[in-house]
Amino acid sequence: MASDQDQKTGMKEHWKALLIICLVSLSSFQYGLDFGIIGGLQAMIGFLQVFGEEAPDTPLGWNINAERQQLISSLMILGAFVSSSTAGFTAKYFGRKMSLWIACAGVFLSTAVMQATTEIGGLYAGRLIIGLSNGLLMTHAQLYIQECSPGRYRGFGISIFTYWVSVGSLVGTVIDNFAAKIHNRNAYIIPLGIVHFIPLVLTIGLFFIPESPRWLATRMEDAERALRRLRPAGWSIADEMDEMKTTLAAEAKLQSSVGYRTLFRNPIDRRRTILSVLGLTTQAASGAMFIISYGTYFFEMANVGNAFENSCILTGTGVASLLFNALIITKYGRRRVMMVTGFIVCGLSQLIMAIVYTIEPGTPKTGKVIVGLSVVYIVAYNACISTYAWLSGGELASQRLRSHTFGLATALGFFGAWLTTFTAPYFINPLKLGWGPKYGYIWTGSCVIAGAWIWFYLPEVKGRTLEQIDEMFEARVPARKFRKYQCTGHHVTLDEKPQTDHVESQSSHGDSSEPKNSTTIVSGTEI
């Protein structure tokens, strides 16, 4: 079986698949780069001279009104929400590679528009288009990684994906740090020009990698050729193909239709959909988008040292914590324990920041405390929340509905991020409420609620195959009993009469240490 041979092969043997995963995961680098750059632009004199207004009472002497600030950050996330919510459609008609190519074209177009325009409307249009592109990149890149990764390294693949987000954000922040010294339009035109690089690499690289074998599953010869390009010499392709066929046959017995309404049609699918969506959207509940989107501006207006240098320190620490997590996730990555720990630390960090700023606003001592606790916060978020939230969104979903469920979860995650970036200026902008770090009071409560939900309702599925996860959900096992439940290999749905025209499914290959999140097609339709 594929699961047996997976246990006997390591990273060295799987170098081709892991290299391809690294290439596709650059999609998240582009997403992080955009956030890193756009957050810094709003604290640049050259940018504010074009899109902002003079404000002698602020540290920079320039500011941008809250409405423009809202739209610049939130339109990107709104676009990502729209495009990721269509994942079921784009997966069905375009596949993974074509969807990524379309996204790259959108990044080229949107960045050129933002570089050329001096009108706020043109900037808004560029932000919306790049949001649509980023949504496609984030959704389909993860689906590709889930479908093509060796079962043993699927969690590692998602860790690398989230790692590139912070690397991109760090690179963007560093670029802004140097560009901020330019006091004309080049201050933002040059950083935006860097955004063209990653889509160019992706556009070329996609020509040299196979389409997802799960997306090609109804064309078995094409799927087999794609699989051969992903697996090492000596790998039994026949065994993995047989498992794909067997799983497709089993999934065909589950339900007669596939679509967004199907996600909530029966109690089992409804439970899995809710868990997947809420598991992924806990990222927004942590308040991370507040720190990521407005970190530089937040430090500048709070008069906390050199804002750009502080942001570089913050992002660099996040990169290090994600790299650490990638090294330990396969062995130690228990979802519930890691995420609850992360929310406790994130909540306490923001609470202490808010209290200290309330008592002594704007003092050097307070500034040091805010920077230090921001570092603690980002370490906890990247090491304990980000990766595991993405994993939950993929591994808890019903196999036949994975693209629809993951697309919905990603869309709602982007909606939560949009809500944060849209409302944050009202709280932190000096021209509005001017709360600054006191905004942390709100996110402390949000962290408490999210952590409590995870502890009581999120199943622990570390070390389980997707087939075992299916079995436990079909047996209606309570969340608190998932970790110690003994699977028998019997699926209740296999006793049902097949009535399905087409379903989404998974390969049953992989080992017991990593979840498998791949997607396949039956009867010519992919979900």
Side-chain angles (χ1 to χ4, degrees), residues 376-524:
V376 172
Y377 172 91
I378 209 68
V379 168
Y381 173 75
N382 283 341
C384 300
I385 297 176
S386 178
T387 298
Y388 299 97
W390 283 117
L391 271 173
S392 297
E395 64 192 2
L396 298 179
S398 174
Q399 296 191 46
R400 71 188 187 282
L401 300 169
R402 191 164 308 280
S403 288
H404 278 84
T405 305
F406 188 72
L408 177 63
T410 304
L412 291 178
F414 278 124
F415 176 77
W418 169 82
L419 191 62
T420 301
T421 57
F422 189 79
T423 57
Y426 279 118
F427 295 93
I428 67 174
N429 195 302
L431 300 179
K432 294 294 182 179
L433 293 178
W435 283 13
K438 290 188 287 186
Y439 192 33
Y441 286 125
I442 292 176
W443 291 113
T444 298
S446 178
C447 285
V448 170
I449 294 171
W453 178 85
I454 289 166
W455 183 254
F456 289 109
Y457 294 104
L458 189 73
E460 179 56 70
V461 294
K462 178 188 178 296
R464 301 287 191 172
T465 67
L466 287 178
E467 289 70 34
Q468 290 173 330
I469 294 173
D470 281 347
E471 180 183 336
M472 289 187 286
F473 274 114
E474 290 165 14
R476 302 173 189 262
V477 177
R480 66 183 182 278
K481 296 183 178 180
F482 261 63
R483 183 168 173 246
K484 296 183 179 180
Y485 185 83
Q486 297 296 317
C487 292
T488 63
H490 176 71
H491 291 252
V492 175
T493 54
L494 291 177
D495 300 327
E496 299 175 359
K497 182 179 179 180
Q499 297 178 340
T500 302
D501 297 323
H502 60 275
V503 298
E504 171 174 320
S505 182
Q506 311 281 347
S507 153
S508 60
H509 78 288
D511 71 321
S512 61
S513 65
E514 283 297 343
K516 301 185 286 297
N517 300 325
S518 41
T519 306
T520 53
I521 339 164
V522 181
S523 302

Side-chain angles (χ1 to χ4, degrees), residues 120-138:
I120 192 65
L123 184 64
Y124 290 159
R127 297 302 296 157
L128 181 61
I129 296 170
I130 204 169
L132 293 168
S133 304
N134 282 339
L136 290 175
L137 287 171
M138 293 292 285

Side-chain angles (χ1 to χ4, degrees), residues 340-352:
V340 169
T341 301
F343 276 105
I344 290 173
V345 176
C346 286
L348 287 175
S349 298
Q350 293 183 95
L351 177 62
I352 296 172

Side-chain angles (χ1 to χ4, degrees), residues 116-168:
T117 189
T118 57
E119 299 294 331
I120 192 65
L123 184 64
Y124 290 159
R127 297 302 296 157
L128 181 61
I129 296 170
I130 204 169
L132 293 168
S133 304
N134 282 339
L136 290 175
L137 287 171
M138 293 292 285
T139 303
H140 289 281
Q142 287 195 80
L143 287 172
Y144 186 95
I145 291 170
Q146 291 166 359
E147 293 167 359
C148 296
S149 298
R152 185 178 180 183
Y153 297 111
R154 185 163 286 109
F156 175 78
I158 297 299
S159 294
I160 294 300
F161 180 88
T162 55
Y163 170 75
W164 279 122
V165 175
S166 283
V167 173

Side-chain angles (χ1 to χ4, degrees), residues 327-335 338 388 462:
L327 297 176
I328 68 167
I329 188 171
T330 299
K331 189 172 183 179
Y332 300 107
R334 286 178 57 188
R335 281 57 165 157
M338 296 296 283
Y388 299 97
K462 178 188 178 296

Side-chain angles (χ1 to χ4, degrees), residues 90-91 94-104 136-137 140:
T90 51
F94 299 114
R96 310 302 180 222
K97 289 177 61 176
M98 181 56 68
S99 295
L100 293 175
W101 267 318
I102 293 170
C104 288
L136 290 175
L137 287 171
H140 289 281

